[in-house]
Every structure is written in C-alpha cells, then in structure tokens.
Amino acid sequence: MTTAPSHPPPAAPPRPRIGVLGSYGGFNIGDEAILTCVLSCLRAQRPDAHLVVLSRNAEHTRLHHPDADEVVPWEGVSRNHVLDVLPGLDLLVLGGGGILYDGEARRYLRLVRAAQTRHVPTFAYAVGAGPLTDAEDRDAVRTVLADMDDVVVRDEESRLVLEEVGLEREVAVTADPALLLGPEPFTEAMMRDEGIPSGARLVGMSVREPGRAAEKLDEGDYHALLADVADFLVRRLDAHVVFLPMERHDVRHAHAVLSHMTAPDKGRILHGDYSPGQVLGFMRHLDVAVGMRLHFVIFAALTGVPVLPLPYSGKVFDFARRLGAPALVGVAREQAGLLLAEVDRMWDEYPRRREDLKSRMRELSAAARETCVRCGSLLDVIGAAGDGPRARAAGPEPEPYVSEPRPLHA
C-alpha cells in the first residue's frame, strides 16, 4: 500500500509592517489621543499587523501605547538607526496631527522622503498644515507630499494652506482622528485628589503658550482676557474653574491667568498625569468649557459639554465653524466685551442647540472614520500588488528632498 506524499501547508503570508510617524512621546495630550486612535484604526484594518511607532520619546510610548508592537526613537539617535527601520515597512503613516508647520515640517518630511526613496508607500493620516511661510518647509511640503500615495488633511484650512504652498494633487479633507477617542473613568476619588469640590458647578478652561503655531499671541493680553472670562463665569454660574493643561507648558500660563483673577480661590489646575481617555472622562464632570487648545475643544464637544472655542489659529477657527460655535477671531483683550457676551449666550442657548451639536459631532466622527477607511483601502492595494518589503519591485526613485546646500526648487 502506498501513501500519497505529504505536502506541507503553504506558509502564512508575513505580517504587514506599518510605521507611524508623528509628534508622539507624551509632549501633548492631543497628539497622544491621535496616536491612540490611529493605532486602533490600523489594528482594526489589519489585526495581524506589526505596528511600529516612530516616537520622540520611545520609553513613554512603550509605556502608554500597548497597541504598538515596536517603538523606535527618532530624536536624539543616529540617522542610520532610523533609516534602517524604513526598508522593512509595508507602509509609513505620517500623522495625524498638526505637524506641517514652520520649523517642524521639514523634520518629519525628511523621514517620509527617505521611505519613498526606499520604495515604501506613504500615507498622510489627517494631518494639519500651517502656518507655512518658511521657504525650506514650503519646498519640503510641495515636494514630498506630491509623491505620497494618499494625502488626507483634517480640516479645510489645511487643504487651503497646501494649495497656497503649490501642492498640485488631490487632497482629501476628513476630520481630526481624536474624534474617535473613547472616554475612561475619572472617578470621584480622582476629583478629591485634585481638590475639586463635590457638587459644585465646574467650568473647564484651556490656555496655551505662544509658540511657532501661535506666534501672534500677546501673553499679558490673553492672560488678562481669560481671567476676565473666568471671573465672569464664577459670578454668573457660582462655579469653580478648573484649568486643564494639555501639555506641560500650559501649567505656567494657567498660573498666570489665576494670578489675574479677582477670585483665584475659585480656580484649580489639574496636576495629575492622565491618559487622553481619562481627560476625556474628566470632561463629563464639567458644566461648560472655554478654551484655546484644539483637543480640549474636541474633548468637550465629544462629551456634549457646551464649549466656546477661543481661536488663536486657523485649525481652532475651522473646528469652531464645523461645530457651529461662534466665529470669534483671536483672543485680544479688546474683545473682552464680545467674548463675555458670547459666553453668556452660549450658556442660555445650549439647551436649544444640544441636538444640533450632537448631529454635527456625528458628522465629524463619521468624517474621522473616513481616514481609517482610506488607509485600509491603500493597504488593500499594497497587499494585492504584493508590494511588501520582501517583494517590492524597484520602480523609479523619487527625487530626494534635501535641505542643503539649497532647496530643490527656487
């Protein structure tokens, strides 16, 4: 009796390796919320994927993002250490978040260009752009994004910035990835640890530092303006004000606002180290929110808290418009009367606007999910083409983006 020769089962296809590059590493709660949502999307699209996060602080990312299979530092390490990772990727995801602005764009896009020259597909995941006035950053954006496999931005403002820079390609507009974040409990015990009185009305406030993304802010001006708003809400609602630092520099500016208040004893600054989900959970304790940071505004809107954005830049103005919030311009002290009137009106009108806000948030969340779907579609194309790091056919290399000795384009 003879037996048929046995054949080993076919080898399982290798796990796709997907890199994620952004401003990650614990510097900003909004960016960490974005990373949480991007990793969740990639895991949903490719459950077996090997997810590699390129982080500015690898230790922080390893500790706080268990969905990442591998974390590679890209700041403070040798260039070769990072470049060695790129050829093994099936896809490099840039973003999301506001990373394409003066002084920063070129840093991220050098790595994207390095991936492109190694024939790695690249995807811009709901990134934010602007301000972009520096010639080198504008050149990097125009050159590198033109060769990306898909470019998705989080707001119309960013699309207009890319158009003004001279980028000639289709750019999809969706919404910020953090709109898909889920809340985590912020318990009564945590509230007590923060010294927040039980049963009191609470106003959440967010302030930020001037910087490259907000160069026109005058510190003394907006500190005094926000102190006026805080004092008004303390009196109007018999409330306590809680400042939520979205990154470490915000603490100093929250103290500065407190120092300008006539009722500083009614103010608190959240001091604990919390995850984005816990900060979102804290929002459920608020009665009203007024703030500058984009993700503070997003978190408040996700929770259904009446929120007044204070636009210091286009990205906050754009989100306020999509939210149907008052279209304030800037945070100058001379606008104090207008701002206080809007705070008052927001509180009075919120019960009538609640359903409209819920509807707008559903639309924004659906737009955020579109980015994930587009990324999944690109992965399908890559998989169908067998375009992985082991089988990728060498095509024509993109012209390298270089910053020295001169930009590629005049």
Side-chain angles (χ1 to χ4, degrees):
M1 180 178 176
T2 59
T3 58
S6 61
H7 296 285
R15 297 170 64 191
R17 293 176 61 87
I18 304 172
V20 181
L21 169 65
S23 184
Y24 306 130
F27 300 94
N28 179 285
I29 289 174
D31 289 326
E32 296 304 300
I34 288 171
L35 179 57
T36 297
C37 295
V38 171
L39 292 176
S40 178
C41 160
L42 294 174
R43 189 62 73 199
Q45 293 289 332
R46 291 294 184 276
D48 63 334
H50 185 88
L51 302 181
V52 183
V53 177
L54 282 71
S55 172
R56 297 172 61 193
N57 185 327
E59 183 178 352
H60 182 278
T61 301
R62 290 188 190 102
L63 181 63
H64 291 88
H65 294 279
D67 226 1
D69 297 294
E70 183 180 348
V71 181
V72 177
W74 68 274
E75 281 191 331
V77 297
S78 73
R79 180 175 170 82
N80 288 339
H81 175 79
V82 184
L83 297 183
D84 288 347
V85 176
L86 299 179
L89 297 178
D90 294 278
L91 175 68
L92 178 63
V93 172
L94 173 67
I99 52 182
L100 299 181
Y101 64 91
D102 289 329
E104 286 290 300
R106 71 193 81 165
R107 300 174 62 239
Y108 293 98
L109 293 179
R110 286 191 191 109
L111 287 177
V112 175
R113 190 47 133 196
Q116 291 172 340
T117 59
R118 289 156 176 80
H119 310 290
V120 176
T122 52
F123 178 82
Y125 198 113
V127 296
L132 275 171
T133 59
D134 180 90
E136 184 177 341
D137 286 301
R138 290 168 65 89
D139 181 71
V141 167
R142 185 171 52 246
T143 304
V144 178
L145 267 63
D147 288 325
M148 297 190 78
D149 292 79
D150 197 6
V151 174
V152 182
V153 296
R154 66 182 176 187
D155 49 46
E156 187 66 24
E157 172 79 13
S158 296
R159 188 192 68 78
L160 293 173
V161 168
L162 297 183
E163 183 179 280
E164 191 276 329
V165 163
L167 180 65
E168 297 180 352
R169 63 162 299 155
E170 178 192 356
V171 174
V173 180
T174 57
D176 195 283
L179 284 155
L180 302 179
L181 185 70
E184 298 171 24
F186 200 98
T187 65
E188 292 299 331
M190 296 162 76
M191 297 286 282
R192 287 194 299 271
D193 287 344
E194 290 287 354
I196 299 173
S198 176
R201 276 183 172 166
L202 298 178
V203 175
M205 293 197 75
S206 164
V207 298
R208 64 153 294 150
E209 87 290 352
R212 282 178 292 190
E215 291 179 337
K216 295 181 180 179
L217 286 178
D218 179 275
E219 280 196 24
D221 211 32
Y222 79 87
H223 289 165
L225 173 65
L226 292 182
D228 288 345
V229 174
D231 283 327
F232 173 78
L233 287 168
V234 166
R235 296 190 302 270
R236 173 77 161 81
L237 306 181
D238 188 23
H240 285 70
V241 178
V242 183
F243 294 87
L244 278 72
M246 301 298 281
E247 65 176 52
R248 62 181 180 272
H249 297 299
D250 295 354
V251 174
R252 179 172 72 84
H253 296 276
H255 278 293
V257 173
L258 270 173
S259 72
H260 283 80
M261 288 177 61
T262 59
D265 57 305
K266 292 295 187 75
R268 296 284 187 278
I269 301 173
L270 218 62
H271 66 265
D273 183 14
Y274 302 113
S275 71
Q278 289 172 324
V279 175
L280 181 57
F282 174 79
M283 291 284 184
R284 292 181 167 182
H285 295 275
L286 299 179
D287 295 280
V288 66
V290 178
M292 299 173 68
R293 288 277 185 190
L294 173 63
H295 287 96
F296 170 88
V297 176
I298 288 175
F299 286 9
L302 280 173
T303 312
V305 175
V307 57
L308 182 68
L310 301 177
Y312 66 89
S313 69
K315 63 183 180 182
V316 184
F317 184 88
D318 190 281
F319 187 77
R321 177 187 57 80
R322 296 173 82 174
L323 197 60
L328 300 172
V329 282
V331 285
R333 186 70 188 277
E334 57 266 23
Q335 294 179 310
L338 173 63
L339 181 54
L340 295 181
E342 289 293 354
V343 171
D344 205 34
R345 182 162 56 185
M346 176 186 67
W347 176 255
D348 289 337
E349 294 182 355
Y350 182 71
R352 298 194 298 275
R353 295 199 58 234
R354 184 180 287 114
E355 291 306 314
D356 176 63
L357 290 172
K358 287 181 179 178
S359 175
R360 288 173 180 267
M361 288 304 294
R362 283 193 295 269
E363 292 176 5
L364 284 165
S365 296
R369 280 190 287 273
E370 287 180 24
T371 317
C372 187
V373 172
R374 290 181 75 103
C375 189
S377 297
L378 178 56
L379 285 165
D380 288 342
V381 171
I382 294 168
D387 195 28
R390 298 162 189 81
R392 190 176 295 125
E397 290 194 0
E399 186 179 0
Y401 161 65
V402 293
S403 59
E404 295 176 350
R406 59 181 175 82
L408 288 177
H409 304 286

